[in-house]
Amino acid sequence: MILIAHISDLHFGDKLINRGRGLVPHQRPHDIGKCMQLPFDLDTAMIEAGAPDDADMHVIVSGDLSVSGTSQQLAVAHAFLRSRPAISRLTGPHGKIGLDVAADLLGAIPGNHDHWDGNRTTLTAYNSNLFVEQFRATPWAKTWSSSSSELEIDVFGIDSNSGLKPSNPFSVAKRLTGSMARGRISDEEFKQLEYHLTQSVTKPSQTPTVRAIICHHSVSHHGGLLGTLELEPASRDRLLTMAADYCVSAILTGHAHISHYCVVPAIDSTGSGWKVHELRCSATVGWPSGKEETGFLFHRITHDGDDWTWDVWRYGWNGSGYVSALPRPWQTIHGTF
């Protein structure tokens, strides 16, 4: 089996030990209480998924690691994800905090908040400097294997803000697209993604392989006044066609702060139909606003011969910890190689 914790929209603030809710909706920093509890409940999710002792937990972050994309906020986010720093004021089991995920087990992409470049008013839609130090250049591809090496998943990370870079950095369009929180994928991003997908389907390995794309913006969410929060329809349709062409089974998303599952019909380049499963994660460690949720998704992928099964558990915050909504998986997806 392959096990993946899917977290999203962490919105880390300037200090790890943050106890303030913040005044501006949708710009609220992380809740330190949730951050302290998350590692323990991810371990519980591993146990509830029946993970063997030697299984790795892979971690996917589908964007918005920070409140407003400052270097300090992103440093706090990376410290939490990649290490387990000691907190001098805390003792006992909570004396250290963080997920301590190894680089080869972590797949993270930027979200629209990460592109703001520290400005919470003009809301920069695209900041290319993110990829110098803070994020691996997108699109990227990673192959994760089961402990028995009998099953693989190829994961592809893309930046759904990549198509929002204006020719004039001071243009009104730059400010408008940032404030609307819409997504758009650039032609260059699509070309590089197609290259990675081609490498995946033509690799000499005979290991059964499932494919998934990580995208911050949802391919099914159309909410918000005037279509805010949505992925531009042209980008969405092109992404779904590419998923159909290269047998991508799932797209893992965030952004809307509400967990969701749906089957999105797609048509490949030859006109044949294909089913893409969107698995959207809510905001994991933030202060929710309105109908927003706090939680994470936990994925277990297994196979039997030519068939694969993808089980998903949804964990939500109940005031003191993250608990699974149901004793059985929230969703179960089946497919063939």
Side-chain angles (χ1 to χ4, degrees), residues 33-257:
K34 296 184 178 75
C35 292
M36 290 191 291
Q37 188 62 35
L38 183 61
F40 297 95
D41 291 337
L42 288 177
D43 287 342
T44 299
M46 287 279 284
I47 295 170
E48 293 180 346
D53 292 340
D54 61 345
D56 290 321
M57 181 179 69
H58 306 81
V59 176
I60 282 174
V61 191
S62 52
D64 279 359
L65 278 65
S66 65
V67 171
S68 60
T70 67
S71 296
Q72 177 62 27
Q73 292 168 1
L74 289 166
V76 171
H78 287 299
F80 177 80
L81 293 170
R82 301 173 183 271
S83 63
R84 200 183 298 272
I87 307 300
S88 59
R89 287 179 286 169
L90 302 176
T91 59
H94 289 125
K96 292 186 177 181
I97 183 172
L99 301 185
D100 198 21
V101 184
D104 59 332
L105 301 179
L106 176 65
I109 60 168
N112 60 303
H113 281 245
D114 301 318
H115 278 287
W116 286 0
D117 200 20
N119 194 321
R120 299 192 187 193
T121 55
T122 58
L123 309 183
T124 302
Y126 182 79
N127 174 21
S128 60
N129 293 329
L130 276 180
F131 302 100
V132 177
E133 296 180 352
Q134 305 294 355
F135 289 93
R136 184 176 183 178
T138 58
W140 49 256
K142 290 194 172 191
T143 298
W144 290 335
S145 302
S146 63
S147 56
S148 64
S149 299
E150 296 178 352
L151 174 66
E152 291 181 347
I153 180 170
D154 284 350
V155 183
F156 309 90
I158 62 173
D159 177 12
S160 52
N161 272 55
S162 58
L164 297 175
K165 184 178 181 180
S167 56
N168 177 5
F170 302 102
S171 68
V172 174
K174 176 180 180 179
R175 300 184 181 186
L176 181 61
T177 53
S179 62
M180 296 292 278
R182 289 173 175 163
R184 183 185 302 153
I185 303 170
S186 69
D187 287 342
E188 183 60 29
E189 193 95 356
F190 272 121
K191 291 176 184 177
Q192 290 298 316
L193 174 61
E194 187 162 29
Y195 168 80
H196 288 307
L197 288 166
T198 301
Q199 295 295 107
S200 174
V201 299
T202 59
K203 63 183 178 181
S205 171
Q206 300 300 310
T207 305
T209 302
V210 180
R211 297 177 186 86
I213 292 172
I214 311 173
C215 178
H216 181 59
H217 288 79
S218 169
V219 295
S220 65
H221 182 72
H222 305 293
L225 183 65
L226 301 178
T228 59
L229 303 181
E230 73 173 6
L231 181 62
E232 175 196 51
S235 293
R236 180 191 66 228
D237 294 345
R238 186 173 177 182
L239 182 63
L240 291 173
T241 297
M242 196 169 289
D245 283 339
Y246 294 94
C247 300
V248 174
S249 299
I251 299 179
L252 280 60
T253 65
H255 188 49
H257 294 196

Side-chain angles (χ1 to χ4, degrees), residues 231-286:
L231 181 62
E232 175 196 51
S235 293
R236 180 191 66 228
D237 294 345
R238 186 173 177 182
L239 182 63
L240 291 173
T241 297
M242 196 169 289
D245 283 339
Y246 294 94
C247 300
V248 174
S249 299
I251 299 179
L252 280 60
T253 65
H255 188 49
H257 294 196
I258 300 172
S259 57
H260 184 64
Y261 165 76
C262 67
V263 178
V264 186
I267 304 295
D268 68 16
S269 299
T270 67
S272 299
W274 179 257
K275 293 180 179 179
V276 181
H277 303 269
E278 180 179 0
L279 296 160
R280 190 201 306 154
C281 182
S282 59
T284 301
V285 295

